[in-house]
Amino acid sequence: MKIIINTVLFLFSAFLFSQENCFIYSEKSPEREACELCDEAIKHKQGSKESQLIFDEAIRIAPNFAWSYYQKAVPFLKRGFLNDGLKILNKAVALKPLEYLGYRAYWYWQYQNYDLCIKDLETYYALPKAYLQFTPGGEKDMRLILSLAYAKNNNYKKAIRTIEDCIATYESEDDIGLSDYHTLGLLYLHNKQYDKAIEMMEKQFTVNKDIPDSYYYLGLAYKGKSKFEDAKIQFNKALLKFQETNYYTNPNAGFRAYLIDVQTEIDNLNNL
Amino acid sequence: MKRNIFLFLIGVTFLCSCNQTEKKSQNYQNQIGDTPFDVNLDDANFQLCDASNTLHKRAYVKYDGGYKAIQKELNENYKFQTKYNSFNGYFIIRFVINCKDEAGRFRMEVLDGTFNLANPSKELQIHILDIFKDLKKWKHPFYEGKDYDGYKFITLKIVNGQIQLV
């Protein structure tokens, strides 16, 4: 049930992120006209010539209206035209950093440029009106991405503090994301805080038991404590979870485990 | 030796043509990323099964063995040379997998570490493109009960001469 509620909330937030209320612009203003054109454009297939031509017209009418640039940039970014996409998106960010810094940070994250990702997200969260933002798929609070970016730069202490602070802002357990405890657990693991890693992975299973990687990392935590039998139990659970067809793929995991990693650990323990 | 020089020049011509193709992107195709046959770049034997309906959903184009298998093959085929150390950045390779699981219509964009267009040595560019073309275990998209040709792109990050699949 919790998974369903979280999913609905996240999808709703993603929907909000991609929408603009045209009625806040005065009637017959260039921004209102551009906004309505964008509304029309997104009814066409994303990335279509028709939609791109309408975005171009919207930009011509209101060159300072950020949403046109954002919408125009999305298919370029999603289809591997990173240079073109970023050039367009940069204009949206310059016009409305509050709305679009997080989205640009997401693409920097995707392309493993952790310095630029951190720079954008630190700038964003320092803004007085910064609000809750999620990855475009809606599955992760962007503060988790910031945390993972610190970790990728080997700054585990800052990574852990960031995600602990994030979780502390939740009003109730129901606000916990599908992989928050998992992410914190693997950061503790990387920081060799094995007891905390174990505690966090066990908490993860109370929210979402369907990430194979959670069992793998829990196994590594037990291995770190030289509890090899407990480790083997968890690696075998990971193996079984990978064999299920509907396991949770945990998008933007940052540190992903693969079936071959699990198999390697089992083989290594069997050879002890 | 003469043959190697000839192949190198063909490769350089191909890469120059790739860049020219990118500059025409403002003349929109029906879909961003549509890659029509270019007699100067593409193998005429590579055919799409349905050129009017190529899928732009890259997650549906799979590789046998997944991410790890691609990374392993690229690592095995990448031949590091000290002079490659001078370039840090990204190679974004776009291509199509047809319904027979064949790859074609390769296009490449090279960016520096801050995502500006870059132009590292042609030798490195040709080598990177070649190791991507050597990947042979692609699986075409099967989407909503139908087989499709599908577009895909893959990004390779290179830092201090070491490659990392993004």
Side-chain angles (χ1 to χ4, degrees):
Chain A
M1 186 60 188
K2 190 177 278 183
I3 289 177
I4 294 169
I5 292 168
N6 273 324
T7 305
V8 169
L9 283 173
F10 287 157
L11 288 176
F12 184 62
S13 70
F15 174 77
L16 281 177
F17 183 71
S18 62
Q19 291 299 302
E20 181 89 16
N21 178 7
C22 296
F23 294 111
I24 63 171
Y25 303 103
S26 59
E27 215 172 339
K28 294 183 180 171
S29 68
E31 288 76 15
R32 175 74 165 264
E33 194 178 344
C35 187
E36 287 173 350
L37 277 172
C38 289
D39 256 347
E40 184 62 33
I42 60 176
K43 289 175 189 161
H44 293 276
K45 203 169 178 181
Q46 190 178 59
S48 65
K49 181 178 185 174
E50 292 82 1
S51 65
Q52 287 293 317
L53 289 171
I54 299 173
F55 292 135
D56 287 346
E57 178 63 6
I59 289 168
R60 190 190 66 76
I61 290 168
N64 292 327
F65 183 63
W67 195 41
S68 314
Y69 296 104
Y70 161 73
Q71 286 291 354
K72 182 176 173 61
V74 171
F76 286 93
L77 295 164
K78 285 167 76 171
R79 294 180 188 180
F81 295 86
L82 191 64
N83 181 258
D84 285 339
L86 279 176
K87 272 187 199 162
I88 302 165
L89 183 62
N90 286 344
K91 291 179 182 168
V93 173
L95 289 163
K96 276 197 168 179
L98 190 65
E99 272 76 8
Y100 300 113
L101 264 172
Y103 186 66
R104 188 173 67 183
Y106 169 77
W107 283 102
Y108 288 152
W109 159 257
Q110 281 285 306
Y111 279 84
Q112 301 181 358
N113 190 322
Y114 304 116
D115 291 335
L116 289 178
C117 173
I118 289 167
K119 188 179 170 196
D120 269 4
L121 286 177
E122 285 183 343
T123 305
Y124 172 73
Y125 287 115
L127 293 173
K129 292 183 179 174
Y131 52 88
L132 206 58
Q133 282 211 12
F134 293 93
T135 49
E139 79 288 339
K140 274 189 179 61
D141 189 311
M142 285 301 289
R143 288 173 290 181
L144 265 71
I145 300 298
L146 177 59
S147 165
L148 286 164
Y150 287 136
K152 289 285 185 180
N153 278 353
N154 297 316
N155 193 343
Y156 294 114
K157 285 186 180 168
K158 201 165 184 178
I160 288 168
R161 194 164 65 244
T162 301
I163 197 166
E164 283 176 340
D165 289 348
C166 172
I167 290 174
T169 64
Y170 295 153
E171 288 180 3
S172 79
E173 281 282 305
D174 289 336
D175 293 336
I176 293 287
L178 293 176
S179 61
D180 290 13
Y181 289 137
H182 165 94
T183 309
L184 183 53
L186 74 84
L187 294 178
Y188 282 136
L189 174 71
H190 277 98
N191 207 37
K192 299 189 178 1
Q193 294 171 269
Y194 300 123
D195 288 328
K196 284 197 164 188
I198 291 167
E199 180 193 339
M200 217 41 67
M201 285 308 178
E202 294 294 351
K203 281 180 92 168
Q204 170 63 30
F205 297 140
T206 66
V207 180
N208 178 10
K209 299 175 182 174
D210 290 330
I211 309 175
D213 310 31
S214 304
Y215 301 94
Y216 171 73
Y217 287 122
L218 180 55
L220 287 184
Y222 280 123
K223 188 182 165 192
K225 287 171 66 70
S226 300
K227 291 188 168 181
F228 299 118
E229 282 307 312
D230 289 333
K232 199 186 285 187
I233 289 168
Q234 297 306 323
F235 292 142
N236 278 308
K237 283 185 182 176
L239 204 60
L240 288 173
K241 190 55 77 175
F242 268 120
Q243 286 163 0
E244 292 178 9
T245 52
N246 59 344
Y247 66 80
Y248 183 65
T249 54
N250 191 20
N252 295 299
F255 297 85
R256 186 171 294 288
Y258 295 89
L259 183 60
I260 193 169
D261 301 320
V262 178
Q263 193 60 62
T264 303
E265 288 297 337
I266 291 172
D267 292 345
N268 289 342
L269 287 180
N270 285 338
N271 291 331
L272 277 180
Chain B
M1 183 62 186
K2 274 184 183 172
R3 185 173 174 273
N4 285 342
I5 292 171
F6 175 73
L7 289 173
F8 181 77
L9 289 173
I10 292 283
V12 169
T13 309
F14 173 82
L15 291 165
C16 292
S17 306
C18 271
N19 286 337
Q20 285 166 12
T21 308
E22 301 294 0
K23 284 172 188 168
K24 291 177 188 167
S25 62
Q26 288 312 309
N27 302 324
Y28 300 117
Q29 300 292 336
N30 285 334
Q31 277 283 321
I32 299 290
D34 278 356
T35 311
F37 174 74
D38 185 327
V39 69
N40 295 313
L41 304 175
D42 298 320
D43 178 359
N45 294 320
F46 175 79
Q47 298 287 327
L48 297 177
C49 302
D50 180 2
S52 68
N53 197 17
T54 308
L55 208 63
H56 282 279
K57 291 184 184 294
R58 70 172 176 137
Y60 285 87
V61 176
K62 309 279 188 191
Y63 197 76
D64 194 11
Y67 175 94
K68 282 268 186 177
I70 298 175
Q71 176 80 62
K72 184 168 179 279
E73 283 191 48
L74 291 176
N75 281 339
E76 284 169 357
N77 294 330
Y78 175 66
K79 305 294 179 214
F80 169 73
Q81 294 190 44
T82 315
K83 57 189 171 188
Y84 294 164
N85 274 334
S86 61
F87 177 70
N88 293 329
Y90 299 85
F91 296 87
I92 303 174
I93 290 106
R94 288 180 284 108
F95 50 95
V96 191
I97 302 300
N98 68 15
C99 69
K100 297 173 191 167
D101 297 330
E102 299 162 335
R105 309 264 174 97
F106 288 88
R107 304 289 185 271
M108 184 164 77
E109 183 172 279
V110 189
L111 305 177
D112 67 15
T114 52
F115 306 112
N116 298 305
L117 289 174
N119 193 21
S121 74
K122 295 297 177 197
E123 189 183 346
L124 175 59
Q125 293 188 52
I126 291 165
H127 181 47
I128 295 293
L129 195 58
D130 281 346
I131 62 174
F132 270 93
K133 286 182 175 178
D134 283 343
L135 297 169
K136 300 293 184 193
K137 298 178 198 161
W138 292 107
K139 302 288 175 201
H140 68 274
F142 184 73
Y143 177 65
E144 294 182 343
K146 285 173 63 181
D147 294 300
Y148 283 89
D149 308 308
Y151 287 102
K152 180 85 173 172
F153 74 91
I154 294 188
T155 305
L156 196 72
K157 187 176 183 183
I158 182 164
V159 178
N160 299 326
Q162 302 303 310
I163 56 169
Q164 171 65 45
L165 188 63
V166 169

